[in-house]
Amino acid sequence: MVAASPNPIRNEKMLAVDLPVIDLSAPRSEVSKLIVKACEDYGFFKVTNHGVGQETISRMEEESLAFFSKTASEKHRAGPANPFGYGCKNIGFNGDMGEVEYLLFNTNKASIAQRSKTISEEPAKFSSAVSDYIEAVKELACELLELIAEGLWVPDTSVFSRLIRDVESDSVFRLNHYPHHHHHLKATSSSPTSYNSNRVGFGEHTDPQILTLLRSNDVGGLQISPQDGLWVPVPSDPAAFWINVGDVLQAMTNGRFVSVRHRALTNSFKSRMSMAYFGGPPLNACLRALPEVVTPEHPLLFKPFTWAEFKKTTHSLRLGDTRLNLFRISSSHEERVSSMN
């Protein structure tokens, strides 16, 4: 377990990798194959030509920046996050800390409208920007999940997306703001104004939901960890979305996809703001591996669970804990299941 800490571990290795970039305007069969491969290799990829309108993105960014530019006392009127609303420094329920302030929303329009009254002097304008953005990225998330189902040769191509489309979907939307830190500026022989971006804004973790759609302003800081102790910096691209597999999708693909561990570091020069849509299932949804991905060569890895059960587990653990391990089937159980097939 790695909790959010002021500095990354000293023996970590950084590696520059060309992460998958998928053009959604390419032929559908090609796109679905590329997405599946990216989910298997990294649990992470970038999409371009995604169809989310620039006006929708710009409105959301404008409203977000206006809120985070307020004084601390003004922002705290929208909190404390319990779990929705404004939060600062505290992450989750168990003492994790980071150099981040955020707004967290339930994706229900009525809830957003009510919450906006404590966030903006023009709550209708703010609420409209948030709701329109969520609707646009939800449609993109569903399209990606249907492409994934096609790439896995699952007959029911809505098997993942209908969990998000459900009116009881427990999806959430989060705006993260990472203030810059002037006192980390330092000169080096190669660059007199280089910076030491080694403060953890949001600590190492996986996302518990199905799929995350993330975009940020033109400031780096996001990193993924494809293996222990190895970190890959993710280049910023405000025109694209970065997609990462969540714990639920790893379980439903029987471990074929990986729920990628990631974190965000702060930047000494500029503040970073990101918008994350977490596509989640209804609380009562029973989540299990699809039959198409369970074979004698790849026996069942995880016990079925409801999202409510998994969410409760998430809230009981620290940020960096591996939640899925608590639902992993023992080897003896695997042998019994295999012998029955």
Side-chain angles (χ1 to χ4, degrees), residues 18-297:
D18 289 330
L19 296 166
V21 179
I22 299 171
D23 181 350
L24 294 184
S25 68
R28 190 174 182 88
S29 60
E30 176 187 335
V31 169
S32 64
K33 290 176 185 176
L34 290 173
I35 292 176
V36 167
K37 180 168 175 50
C39 290
E40 292 172 336
D41 292 348
Y42 295 100
F44 191 80
F45 57 96
K46 181 167 80 171
V47 294
T48 60
N49 290 313
H50 45 71
V52 179
Q54 184 56 49
E55 182 188 0
T56 300
I57 293 172
S58 297
R59 285 170 58 216
M60 185 69 263
E61 193 164 69
E62 179 183 331
E63 292 294 327
S64 304
L65 289 172
F67 173 80
F68 288 120
S69 66
K70 291 182 176 182
T71 65
S73 61
E74 288 175 318
K75 287 184 285 192
H76 278 289
R77 290 174 195 156
N82 188 31
F84 304 112
Y86 175 74
C88 185
K89 304 282 188 177
N90 293 301
I91 300 172
F93 300 84
N94 296 292
D96 290 294
M97 303 286 288
E99 299 297 323
V100 64
E101 57 178 346
Y102 65 90
L103 283 170
L104 185 65
F105 299 90
N106 179 294
T107 55
N108 176 277
K109 286 189 176 183
S111 173
I112 293 168
Q114 183 64 31
R115 181 68 57 185
S116 297
K117 294 176 182 178
T118 62
I119 293 172
S120 173
E121 290 75 29
E122 297 181 87
K125 182 183 175 188
F126 186 93
S127 175
S128 173
V130 174
S131 294
D132 289 351
Y133 183 87
I134 288 173
E135 190 60 31
V137 293
K138 181 178 81 170
E139 285 306 308
L140 175 57
C142 290
E143 174 68 7
L144 293 170
L145 289 170
E146 286 165 13
L147 283 161
I148 285 171
E150 291 172 23
L152 292 173
W153 295 94
V154 178
D156 180 4
T157 56
S158 65
V159 65
F160 303 121
S161 62
R162 68 167 168 263
L163 294 169
I164 293 177
R165 292 191 190 280
D166 194 296
V167 293
E168 299 296 327
S169 163
D170 193 41
S171 299
V172 296
F173 177 56
R174 185 177 180 119
L175 298 167
N176 285 328
H177 180 245
Y178 304 92
H180 64 283
H181 296 279
H182 286 299
H183 57 277
H184 279 276
L185 292 173
K186 67 175 185 179
T188 67
S189 58
S190 60
S191 173
T193 57
S194 71
Y195 66 91
N196 179 18
S197 180
N198 67 348
R199 297 188 67 173
V200 173
F202 206 107
E204 176 183 351
H205 65 287
T206 61
D207 293 339
Q209 293 90 352
I210 302 171
L211 201 71
T212 303
L213 277 65
L214 178 76
R215 73 166 299 280
S216 69
N217 60 350
D218 196 14
V219 177
L222 180 64
Q223 299 177 344
I224 67 167
S225 179
Q227 63 187 66
D228 287 345
L230 178 67
W231 287 95
V232 175
V234 177
S236 60
D237 185 350
F241 281 88
W242 288 101
I243 316 298
N244 66 265
V245 170
D247 295 342
V248 167
L249 192 54
Q250 178 173 334
M252 293 185 74
T253 58
N254 200 35
R256 182 168 169 178
F257 291 0
V258 57
S259 180
V260 64
R261 300 187 74 80
H262 54 287
R263 69 184 180 190
L265 303 187
T266 60
N267 187 294
S268 298
F269 288 144
K270 298 179 180 179
S271 63
R272 178 173 182 268
M273 192 185 72
S274 63
M275 310 174 184
Y277 170 81
F278 302 92
L283 288 172
N284 63 358
C286 186
L287 307 164
R288 63 180 74 237
L290 304 180
E292 290 80 8
V293 293
V294 180
T295 65
E297 295 78 24

